[in-house]
Amino acid sequence: MPARPRGRIRERAPRPSSSPEVVFEGRGYWRGKISALEIGVDEEGIITQVGRNVRGGRRVDLGERLMLPSALDLHVHFRDPGPPGSPESFASGTKSAALGGISAVVDMPNTVPPTTTPERVIDKIARIQAHAQIDVIPFAALRPDTNVARLARVASGFKLYLAPTTGDLGVDTGTDVGELLREAAATGLPVHVHAEDPRKFNPRDQPRETDAWDRSRPEIAEISALEKLRDHPAGMRLHVAHVTSAGAARLARELGASSEATPHHLLLSTSLFGNSFQKVNPPLRAESTRKALWETFRDGLVPMVASDHAPHSLSLKEAPFPEAPSGMPGVETLFPLLLETVRRGDLELSRLIHAACRNPALHLDLPRGRLEKGCEANFLAVDFRVRRKIRAKDLSTLCGWTPFEGREAVFPLEHYLLGKRIVDDGEFVGGVRGRSLRVAPLLPKKSPHLPGSPPVRAP
Ligand code: NCD
Ligand code: ZN
């Protein structure tokens, strides 16, 4: 089914000037293929021309490195504002994202205090402008007690928590979800849903490992929550966060919603780990469920990936399982882990580029995520031969741990934000140049589904 109209994206981009200030040359992913590529970029950081024989401007030769669009992570918790000693901030989280090849993130509202009023959104925007090193898109909470229309004037979208999780923003099980969605749909902004139905939880015994955590918040709770979305207004920008199973992904599609899967649900399962560091909402699932989710994602039926980067301090995660908070960090490892699956031949490069770059940008109607004229020059230089093992001590997140310790990953060697280098040879060289991005309201579309993509293998 068709994506949001492309023309619109070009309209909103600043007008490209005819002659580029700088031309990046090498190889790159363009229009579904890897080929020799030149990218002209003007002084505003907008792509003026892509292809061969791009004339004018200073030349930057990227040699054998592959130019790929940088990614957009639709789901992070940067804990800013947060209580003193918070294990993340806009400064640390955006640096971490930049090193992981991500040039924009959607920041979720379960901060301390939560993003539930226009004043708090405005405060968040000020924090972003003061500290962010990549772009940040602030979302507000969608609850029966929030003023949706007023929030929509400053926030870029809404998060609806149908279950309790970190931050106490979960709505009561008796909430009229249809009514909330109608209110949000009228704003024309996207609504992302944490879909778990507490009525299907099994809290009888206190779970002490991930397998029991899975049984206590089972897949059926996710399906039941998705059913609550069934009578949403046609064409609204409805998006399901972190689907954990092929069934949930299928149902989201059937409902006309887009969806995301996280690297932890795609790559980890209850068979691998058991302690509270792997405690997350919704839970990791059994290996067979993980495998089926991976195949569904690989086949293009989960249109997007997102990290659900949820940094909790080591000391909180070291608590006994019942008391430990749910959530795991992931913004820096999202794209590198999946690039490694491409390198191994487990995933088509085009599928990854669609899921991490193009589709999230189309979903938010932002001129990025593609190496095309009129889009922002947010891109990476990657060498699939340069891999390294993920080590918490090498990551920039302040939380000091990762569930992916020891896994191989392909980290970008260079990252350009609006044509200016922010990562050089794997080191952060950027500055406070991130913007608080505003997602513009869109009238309902006929089809909210995002398209699949033709297969392209990594070199
Ligand atoms: C998230 C967090 O810690 O902010 N935790 C999690 O387990 N995913 C909240 C959330 O997205 O549920
Ligand atoms: Zn989350």
Side-chain angles (χ1 to χ4, degrees), residues 75-77 79 108 110 159 161 163-167 194 196 213 217 241-242 264-265 279-282 308-312 317 325-328:
H75 193 160
V76 306
H77 303 268
R79 315 280 194 228
M108 289 303 169
N110 61 340
K159 179 71 176 282
Y161 289 96
T165 186
T166 312
H194 181 122
E196 287 186 285
W213 190 242
R217 297 174 75 122
H242 41 49
H264 48 274
H265 292 116
K279 184 179 178 187
V280 64
N281 298 332
D308 191 10
H309 177 77
H312 291 285
K317 280 300 227 181
S326 290
M328 35 179 85

